[in-house]
Structure formats: structure tokens, C-alpha cells
Amino acid sequence: MVMKYLEFEVHRFLHPSAPELFLQVSFLVLRSVTMATVDINEGSQQKVDGIEIRPSCSERQDCPVQFKDSELRQRLSELEYHVTQEKGTERAFSGKFWKSKDEGLYSCIVCSHPLFYSSSKFLSGCGWPSFSEVISKAAVTYTKDTSFDMERTEVTCSQCGAHLGHLFDDGPTANKKRYCINSASLSFVPEDKLTDEQRRIAANANVNIPDKSKTRQEL
């Protein structure tokens, strides 16, 4: 409706009898409204390659699980807090899980929400834990990240909003996904220590097993 009105105003001011200043103002207003519309669309829900892109629950301020900042600072290590709460990144090849081959369940370090199962983990050569699939579609949220003059897909915990890492499209499985995740954002429970509920989640995990012959070996 606003665009229709502005279009009418532009045509009206194009009339030879209209002052030139009015024409300039009209175009400036039209440009401002158009830019505002683009900004709104950037933050709205959209899909890219079948993945729903939207702000994280922490950005929307509606996370199902919430903690006081003072509690997180006390409970998490300095690196864990920096990665999960400040969108930091641990140094490549420094995390405790980057080359782990142990079988078990990877969960969010902040809220213990199940995220990945070891059957989807592979060695990617990037220096961070890499997974081909999340344990369930509802496990994480995908958000557009334009920091550092790059356009990436940020991955956050869907329950508490903790920053986990990023999703790339150069994985070894048919879906081409590579979840590049910080070790500092993860906790791990070995397969023989899983609870009944965790075993049920693992059994229902929708994961693509990587073809080990196609993965790059870590140096």
C-alpha cells in the first residue's frame, strides 16, 4: 500500500509543473522505504537450499531454556563462555573433540540438548569437529552470518541459543553438509554411559553415515 502511494507521488511530481525539489524528496522517501523493506526481509524467516534461515532463539529472546549470565560465567570455562555466548571460535586443531573417534552422543555444553551422534562425525581436515547431520531437524537453528565480510550459515542450539559453529556445503555425504562445530560448545557421553532416554534419541537419530573413503584425513 505504501509503495503504491509513493509510486503515485513520484508520477505526480514528474509533472512539468512540479518543483524539482519535490521530485528529489519523493525519490529519497521511496529509496528509504525500499531499504527498510529489504532490512525487514533480511531478518525474517526464509529458506536456502531447503534449510530454514531465521534468527536464533537468543536473538528472538524466546529460548525454551534460559540461564542467568552469572551462572554461565561460573559454570562454563572462559573459552566455553566465549564460544557459546559471544560467538567466538576456538583455535583450529586445539579442541578436545576435533579428531575423536569415540562412539557416543554430543550435546550442547550449555543446556545438554542432544545435537550430534558419533556416527555422523568425520575427519574433514579443517581442525574442528565435523558432522554430516544433526541428530534431529529440531536440534539446531540456522541463521545468516555476515561477519568478517563473509556470508555463512551460523548454527546455534535450538533450546538455549548457544553458538555452536557453522554449516558448509562441502561434506562427504549425499547431502553435502559439513557442520563445523567448536569442541568448546559440546559435551560428550560415551555410548556405554548413555541413559535410556539418550539411547532412544540415538536410535531415532536421522543421520547419514559418511563414506570414510571420501573424507580428507587430518594432518
Side-chain angles (χ1 to χ4, degrees):
M1 191 70 178
V2 174
M3 298 299 290
K4 287 280 188 182
Y5 169 75
L6 288 173
E7 184 180 353
F8 167 77
E9 289 296 295
V10 169
H11 285 297
R12 183 168 70 86
F13 287 133
L14 280 173
H15 192 278
S17 63
E20 183 179 353
L21 178 60
F22 284 0
L23 178 61
Q24 293 175 350
V25 170
S26 179
F27 274 116
L28 285 174
V29 172
L30 177 61
R31 180 173 179 271
S32 297
V33 173
T34 301
M35 290 178 68
T37 303
V38 171
D39 289 341
I40 292 172
N41 288 337
E42 287 290 345
S44 63
Q45 188 171 305
Q46 54 182 304
K47 283 193 175 183
V48 177
D49 295 330
I51 294 177
E52 186 178 286
I53 305 296
R54 60 175 179 166
S56 66
C57 69
S58 59
E59 293 173 326
R60 302 193 311 268
Q61 298 184 338
D62 63 354
C63 291
V65 181
Q66 300 183 25
F67 301 94
K68 291 183 178 180
D69 184 69
S70 57
E71 177 189 343
L72 294 179
R73 287 184 181 276
Q74 183 176 13
R75 177 160 60 87
L76 302 176
S77 70
E78 185 176 341
L79 178 59
E80 290 168 349
Y81 183 90
H82 176 57
V83 168
T84 61
Q85 305 304 304
E86 301 175 331
K87 300 187 178 184
T89 302
E90 66 197 16
R91 289 184 295 105
F93 306 102
S94 68
K96 58 184 175 181
F97 297 129
W98 74 269
K99 62 178 180 179
S100 174
K101 297 181 180 179
D102 295 338
E103 295 185 354
L105 179 67
Y106 290 90
S107 300
C108 174
I109 189 69
V110 177
C111 69
S112 300
H113 182 57
L115 299 170
F116 304 95
Y117 199 71
S118 57
S119 56
S120 68
K121 190 174 186 295
F122 62 96
L123 297 177
S124 66
C126 69
W128 290 277
S130 297
F131 301 87
S132 61
E133 190 57 274
V134 288
I135 202 164
S136 69
K137 291 182 178 180
V140 301
T141 300
Y142 305 96
T143 305
K144 183 178 180 180
D145 179 4
T146 57
S147 60
F148 304 106
D149 294 324
M150 296 184 287
E151 186 170 319
R152 298 174 293 173
T153 300
E154 180 190 9
V155 180
T156 58
C157 174
S158 65
Q159 297 301 295
C160 71
H163 172 76
L164 305 174
H166 291 86
L167 172 63
F168 299 96
D169 60 358
D170 56 2
T173 58
N175 64 14
K176 301 297 182 182
K177 293 178 182 177
R178 174 170 64 90
Y179 290 83
C180 184
I181 306 298
N182 290 279
S183 289
S185 70
L186 300 172
S187 62
F188 179 75
V189 179
E191 190 173 88
D192 60 353
K193 299 290 180 63
L194 294 177
T195 65
D196 290 341
E197 175 62 15
Q198 289 172 330
R199 289 185 183 281
R200 184 190 67 77
I201 293 173
N204 294 330
N206 179 27
V207 297
N208 293 305
I209 309 301
D211 182 347
K212 302 300 182 181
S213 66
K214 294 182 180 180
T215 60
R216 300 189 298 273
Q217 295 300 311
E218 299 283 2
L219 299 176

